[in-house]
């Protein structure tokens, strides 16, 4: 019997080697967001990658907030991130960790480095530090405060902690190498004075650790074995390794970098999204035109679709872009067997069947999902007055138009053959009513084998119709002209949101709840909006259309 060939990405190959060599007994990974904004589709890759590795190796996955910079951090962002990670299905045991809970240990670590002669208090201003740092081609030069004694540095650092100096007056720097070819290693700042109220620790601290110093300590404290981050941190890895080495951790974590997920023509930058929110162009960080995870969830995307998208995108060391059409393909693939097919007329015009009894109502049984036989059937009502899509009627049709036009006959899905015999218009020339007749002999399921018709259209009974608002979304930026204008502003798509306020839906949708998703026949997949929809005024968001230009490889 041949052995099964298992393909491993480069991260799994590293972990396999570490386990073989006995470096670690239990794999621990983490997702370490900064609580200064909402997560977007790119973060989902990191969450699912880290969680997937923990599951694959029978290890542990941590959710830990890197909250070392209180200037932009908010409880709102913490709560939204926790909800997003749970929604994606990453199990962190409901144990939310915070870097700020380790501030005491980070302070002790800084004192340890001072005692080793590996850190010093520096009085240079931010501009002077930049000037002393050198360039990519020229080495830096030592700070005049670099050779302070251990005793003086300890006393000054404690005074910094006790609030005896103004913000920015002094910093604590690692003592490494001002001539290093890697600028990150030229005596980087590891602590700064900043009087800011922290969302978790309040006003306990007036000094805060820098990210590059705090992050490896957090990983080490939690026993993280593989600290997986994106490529922009590759140049910071020597500093990460220096910190865990100089702090003498017995089982130091290993940093591994992978390529970020880039999507074509979408807005992920916090600065741009914040401006869209502040300017009222979108109705919040969860506006369905965005690709924040809360926006995708509100629009009707599923965790399973996002997981499939990540699998198709793969894990690599090289930056590349994924087509947003692939993400749409993934949500279609996921919803196809799950979502019931229903009849929803989003731009309605009334049909009156002139020869149908005025006081009669019939019921027809229609299958819920032809792709899923287990989905069963449902009953829909049919009466003299109905609604159809406005574009399912033409007064003067072109060739190969098989829907309603004067003299033509079509099948109303699951019901009867219907023949158009006339129409009414208003003073502006808009069709207001389509007059038809029906053939009682052609009832669906009756075995009628007479004449054939080429067109089948969906409809909704006017007597039992649910009134709803439907929102059609497109990309918020103009895909054809590109994401940015010459001045750096976003090139917005004026058609990114189209609201259709008078949709008519079949009566089975009257009790639909926030998050429920359906396929409106011929119109796409639609989800009940979680923010604006009410029982009195249902709102449905189009998740995605039915047609795809994307072809999986």
């Amino acid at each position: 019997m041949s052995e099964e060939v298992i393909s491993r990405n480069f991260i799994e190959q590293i972990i396999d080697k570490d386990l073989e060599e006995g470096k670690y007994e239990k794999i621990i990974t983490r997702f370490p967001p900064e609580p200064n904004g909402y997560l977007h589709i790119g973060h989902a890759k990191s969450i699912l990658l880290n969680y997937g590795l923990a599951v694959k190796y029978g290890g542990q996955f941590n959710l830990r907030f890197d909250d070392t910079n209180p200037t932009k951090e908010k409880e709102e962002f913490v709560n939204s991130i926790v909800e997003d990670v749970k929604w994606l299905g990453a199990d962190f045991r409901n144990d939310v960790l915070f870097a700020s809970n380790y501030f005491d240990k980070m302070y002790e670590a800084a004192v340890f480095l001072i005692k080793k002669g590996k850190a010093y208090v520096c009085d240079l201003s931010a501009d002077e530090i930049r000037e002393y740092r050198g360039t990519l081609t020229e080495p830096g030069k030592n700070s005049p405060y670099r050779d302070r004694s251990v005793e003086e540095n300890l006393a000054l650092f404690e005074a910094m902690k006790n609030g005896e100096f103004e913000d920015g007056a002094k910093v604590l720097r690692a003592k490494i190498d001002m001539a290093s070819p890697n600028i990150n290693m030229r005596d980087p700042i590891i602590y700064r004075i900043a009087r800011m109220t922290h969302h978790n620790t309040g006003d306990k601290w007036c000094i805060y650790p820098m990210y590059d110093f705090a992050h490896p300590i957090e990983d080490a404290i939690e026993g993280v074995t593989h600290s997986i981050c994106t490529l922009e941190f590759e140049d910071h890895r020597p500093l990460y390794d220096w910190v865990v080495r100089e702090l003498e951790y017995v089982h130091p974590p290993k940093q591994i970098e992978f390529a970020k997920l880039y999507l074509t023509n979408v807005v992920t930058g916090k600065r741009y999204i914040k401006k869209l929110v502040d300017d009222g162009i979108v109705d919040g960080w969860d506006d369905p035109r965005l690709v924040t995870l809360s926006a995708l969830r509100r629009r009707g995307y599923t965790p399973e679709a996002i997981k499939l998208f990540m699998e198709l995108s793969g894990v690599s060391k090289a930056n590349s872009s994924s087509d947003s059409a692939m993400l749409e393909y993934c949500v279609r693939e996921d919803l196809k067997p799950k979502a019931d097919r229903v009849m929803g007329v989003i731009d309605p015009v009334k049909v009156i069947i002139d020869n149908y009894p005025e006081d009669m109502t019939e019921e027809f049984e229609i299958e819920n999902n032809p792709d899923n036989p287990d989905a069963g059937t449902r009953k829909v009502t049919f009466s003299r007055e109905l609604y159809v899509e406005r574009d399912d009627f033409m007064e003067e049709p072109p060739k190969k138009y098989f829907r309603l036009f004067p003299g033509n006959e079509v099948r109303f899905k699951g019901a009867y053959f219907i023949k158009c015999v006339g129409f009414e218009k208003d003073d502006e020339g808009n069709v207001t009513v389509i007059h038809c007749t029906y053939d009682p002999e052609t009832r669906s399921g009756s075995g009628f084998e007479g004449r054939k018709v080429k067109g089948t259209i969906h409809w909704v009974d006017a007597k039992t119709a649910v009134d709803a608002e439907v929102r059609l979304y497109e990309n918020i930026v103009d895909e054809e002209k590109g994401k940015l204008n010459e001045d750096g502003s976003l090139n917005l798509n004026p058609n990114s949101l189209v609201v259709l306020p008078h949709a008519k839906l079949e009566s089975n949708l009257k009790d639909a709840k926030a998050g429920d998703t359906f396929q409106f026949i011929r119109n796409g997949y639609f989800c009940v909006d979680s923010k604006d929809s009410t029982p009195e005024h249902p709102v449905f968001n189009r998740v995605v259309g039915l047609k795809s230009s994307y072809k999986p490889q």
Side-chain angles (χ1 to χ4, degrees):
M1 191 172 78
S2 63
E3 290 186 13
E4 182 185 357
V5 177
I6 300 174
S7 174
R8 299 286 206 210
N9 64 46
F10 76 96
I11 297 175
E12 290 167 349
Q13 291 171 8
I14 292 170
I15 294 175
D16 287 343
K17 187 168 183 290
D18 287 343
L19 288 171
E20 284 171 18
E21 294 174 357
K23 287 184 179 177
Y24 307 105
E25 291 182 4
K26 178 183 178 182
I27 299 302
I28 300 178
T29 61
R30 85 290 171 267
F31 175 61
E34 296 174 69
N36 59 5
Y38 283 66
L39 301 184
H40 57 67
I41 185 70
H43 294 109
K45 182 172 185 177
S46 180
I47 295 166
L48 294 171
L49 173 58
N50 279 284
Y51 178 63
L53 290 168
V55 170
K56 179 170 283 191
Y57 290 97
Q60 177 178 308
F61 168 79
N62 291 350
L63 170 61
R64 178 229 303 146
F65 285 94
D66 248 319
D67 55 346
T68 56
N69 180 14
T71 50
K72 299 176 182 177
E73 295 166 357
K74 292 182 184 176
E75 199 71 29
E76 171 195 354
F77 298 139
V78 171
N79 295 335
S80 74
I81 290 169
V82 169
E83 187 179 358
D84 288 343
V85 176
K86 283 183 176 178
W87 176 66
L88 282 175
D91 181 12
F92 52 91
R93 309 165 307 286
N94 284 323
D95 184 15
V96 180
L97 305 172
F98 291 92
S100 53
N101 288 340
Y102 311 141
F103 280 168
D104 287 299
K105 291 185 177 180
M106 291 177 194
Y107 180 79
E108 291 167 11
V111 169
F112 182 76
L113 289 180
I114 293 171
K115 288 179 177 177
K116 282 183 72 171
K118 296 291 185 176
Y120 63 95
V121 174
C122 181
D123 297 4
L124 292 178
S125 68
D127 288 338
E128 289 169 332
I129 289 174
R130 211 169 356 267
E131 186 185 327
Y132 274 60
R133 186 173 288 142
T135 66
L136 290 171
T137 55
E138 296 175 356
K141 57 182 180 178
N142 289 347
S143 163
Y145 307 100
R146 197 174 195 265
D147 296 324
R148 278 175 163 154
S149 68
V150 168
E151 292 72 25
E152 186 181 2
N153 283 318
L154 287 172
L156 287 170
F157 189 49
E158 185 172 1
M160 286 170 61
K161 181 190 70 145
N162 293 338
E164 296 177 23
F165 304 115
E166 294 298 314
D167 288 11
K170 297 181 189 300
V171 294
L172 183 71
R173 298 175 67 178
K175 187 186 287 189
I176 308 178
D177 180 7
M178 289 304 295
S180 172
N182 185 334
I183 289 181
N184 295 300
M185 300 296 280
R186 295 180 187 175
D187 290 11
I189 298 168
I190 58 176
Y191 258 96
R192 70 208 186 281
I193 304 169
R195 286 170 175 78
M196 295 179 285
T197 301
H198 191 283
H199 77 96
N200 187 28
T201 58
D203 295 318
K204 177 181 176 181
W205 296 91
C206 66
I207 58 170
Y208 290 98
M210 302 299 287
Y211 179 89
D212 279 348
F213 177 65
H215 195 85
I217 296 174
E218 297 154 29
D219 286 342
I221 289 170
E222 292 174 11
V224 168
T225 54
H226 297 84
S227 181
I228 297 159
C229 56
T230 46
L231 278 178
E232 70 263 33
F233 291 100
E234 189 168 28
D235 288 342
H236 297 248
R237 192 196 323 147
L239 179 53
Y240 183 102
D241 293 342
W242 183 90
V243 171
V244 295
R245 184 173 63 249
E246 293 297 340
L247 292 175
E248 301 173 17
Y249 290 111
V250 178
H251 297 291
K254 176 181 288 189
Q255 178 175 305
I256 306 170
E257 306 85 20
F258 70 98
K260 267 185 176 179
L261 173 70
Y262 291 98
L263 258 185
T264 55
N265 287 318
V266 299
V267 180
T268 55
K270 290 172 188 170
R271 173 169 59 95
Y272 289 118
I273 296 175
K274 186 175 186 302
K275 181 166 175 54
L276 291 172
V277 173
D278 292 346
D279 291 350
I281 293 167
V282 297
D283 73 354
W285 290 76
D286 62 350
D287 187 292
R289 288 168 287 180
L290 301 174
V291 289
T292 59
L293 294 182
S294 54
L296 291 169
R297 180 165 65 247
R298 180 180 169 194
R299 182 159 168 175
Y301 276 69
T302 61
E304 294 78 11
I306 292 173
K307 288 172 189 172
L308 175 60
F309 177 62
M310 297 308 163
E311 288 169 12
L312 292 176
S313 298
V315 178
S316 75
K317 267 284 203 184
N319 280 324
S320 61
S321 291
S322 295
D323 191 339
S324 50
M326 184 167 80
L327 180 58
E328 294 180 352
Y329 162 83
C330 292
V331 77
R332 282 190 201 93
E333 286 297 295
D334 184 58
L335 292 177
K336 195 174 178 183
K338 291 180 181 178
D340 284 354
R341 312 287 202 270
V342 298
M343 294 196 285
V345 176
I346 64 175
D347 185 15
V349 62
K350 182 169 280 189
V351 168
I352 297 177
I353 303 176
D354 295 335
N355 65 335
Y356 194 90
E358 286 192 32
D359 57 351
M360 190 165 93
T361 294
E362 294 180 82
E363 280 191 335
F364 290 92
E365 196 159 337
I366 296 181
E367 62 185 342
N368 285 328
N369 189 334
D371 292 314
N372 180 7
D374 295 336
T377 61
R378 71 188 184 285
K379 288 185 168 63
V380 295
T381 61
F382 183 96
S383 57
R384 187 171 190 264
E385 294 191 2
L386 309 161
Y387 291 105
V388 298
E389 295 288 355
R390 187 165 291 279
D391 64 6
D392 278 343
F393 171 81
M394 291 188 78
E395 186 179 348
E396 297 177 1
K399 287 183 179 179
K400 297 188 177 180
Y401 182 85
F402 300 121
R403 290 174 250 175
L404 284 174
F405 56 87
N408 193 44
E409 191 173 41
V410 301
R411 175 174 283 285
F412 272 28
K413 180 175 174 58
Y416 293 106
F417 284 14
I418 308 289
K419 185 175 184 178
C420 177
V421 295
F423 56 91
E424 299 175 27
K425 287 183 174 182
D426 61 17
D427 294 340
E428 296 175 356
N430 299 308
V431 174
T432 55
V433 178
I434 303 166
H435 286 276
C436 296
T437 58
Y438 87 116
D439 182 347
E441 301 296 318
T442 61
R443 181 183 169 98
S444 183
S446 66
F448 174 74
E449 294 182 358
R451 62 195 179 280
K452 305 291 184 184
V453 292
K454 289 187 175 179
T456 298
I457 65 174
H458 63 283
W459 50 273
V460 169
D461 182 4
K463 274 187 185 177
T464 58
V466 174
D467 294 318
E469 176 181 311
V470 161
R471 297 173 180 175
L472 308 180
Y473 295 101
E474 291 182 7
N475 204 326
I476 198 160
V477 293
D478 191 318
E479 295 181 38
E480 292 185 4
K481 294 181 181 175
K483 186 156 62 175
L484 297 177
N485 294 311
E486 288 183 5
D487 63 0
S489 63
L490 287 171
N491 185 17
L492 297 175
N493 173 9
N495 302 313
S496 62
L497 170 61
V498 174
V499 177
L500 301 172
H502 305 300
K504 305 290 183 181
L505 313 180
E506 66 173 69
S507 61
N508 294 294
L509 272 65
K510 67 179 181 298
D511 297 321
K513 298 177 180 61
D516 288 352
T517 302
F518 306 89
Q519 186 195 113
F520 290 5
I521 293 169
R522 286 192 22 239
N523 279 317
Y525 291 96
F526 289 79
C527 174
V528 181
D529 187 77
S530 58
K531 197 171 187 177
D532 298 333
S533 188
T534 65
E536 299 75 31
H537 181 71
V539 177
F540 283 77
N541 300 324
R542 185 166 65 186
V543 187
V544 67
L546 295 178
K547 293 181 179 178
S548 174
S549 60
Y550 174 76
K551 296 289 187 290
Q553 300 299 314

